[in-house]
Amino acid sequence: MKLITAIIKPFKLDDVREALATLGVEGLTVSEVKGFGRQKGHTELYRGAEYQVDFLPKVKLEIATQADNVEPIIEAISQAAHTGKIGDGKIFVCDLLAAVRIRTGETDADAL
């Protein structure tokens, strides 16, 4: 089992969700987060004063899946979230050691 974590631009969430639905992804967790990478934030103007915004709004997706589904999911996220501009995001893949469905007590692959 693997845990895929993707950080994307907020306005790309619907495109990514639709791309994942076509693959049959049945569940994911979405969180609104803030952060920065190579962008290093940006400057904004408020009441005539310029100020630095260090953390940019992003969306974090978490998807638990079988190992053989990882590549198609990564490809779908990459294509749907791509704008070609800085700040498109990142995708991380980690090993998932255990999963438990609380309602039924199912474990590991059955819990996904």
Side-chain angles (χ1 to χ4, degrees):
M1 296 181 304
K2 302 288 184 179
L3 179 65
I4 300 170
T5 303
I7 310 295
I8 63 170
K9 292 181 175 185
F11 69 89
K12 290 304 237 170
L13 177 59
D14 286 336
D15 294 340
V16 171
R17 185 187 50 78
E18 289 172 14
L20 292 172
T22 63
L23 292 178
V25 172
E26 294 179 344
L28 66 125
T29 301
V30 177
S31 305
E32 292 181 6
V33 296
K34 292 184 179 187
F36 69 91
R38 291 187 180 152
Q39 278 180 282
K40 307 281 193 284
H42 66 279
T43 58
E44 288 190 5
L45 198 61
Y46 179 72
R47 293 189 177 185
E50 193 173 276
Y51 66 98
Q52 180 71 21
V53 177
D54 293 326
F55 297 103
L56 302 172
K58 301 288 183 179
V59 172
K60 177 179 171 183
L61 306 174
E62 295 174 300
I63 305 160
T65 188
Q66 295 291 343
D68 56 344
N69 295 335
V70 170
E71 289 305 319
I73 290 173
I74 289 174
E75 186 65 25
I77 294 170
S78 296
Q79 288 181 358
H82 181 265
T83 67
K85 296 191 168 45
I86 192 166
D88 273 353
K90 295 222 173 30
I91 300 172
F92 307 99
V93 180
C94 302
D95 288 325
L96 187 58
L97 300 178
V100 177
R101 181 172 302 183
I102 296 172
R103 179 177 54 88
T104 62
E106 293 169 302
T107 60
D108 299 330
D110 293 332
L112 299 179

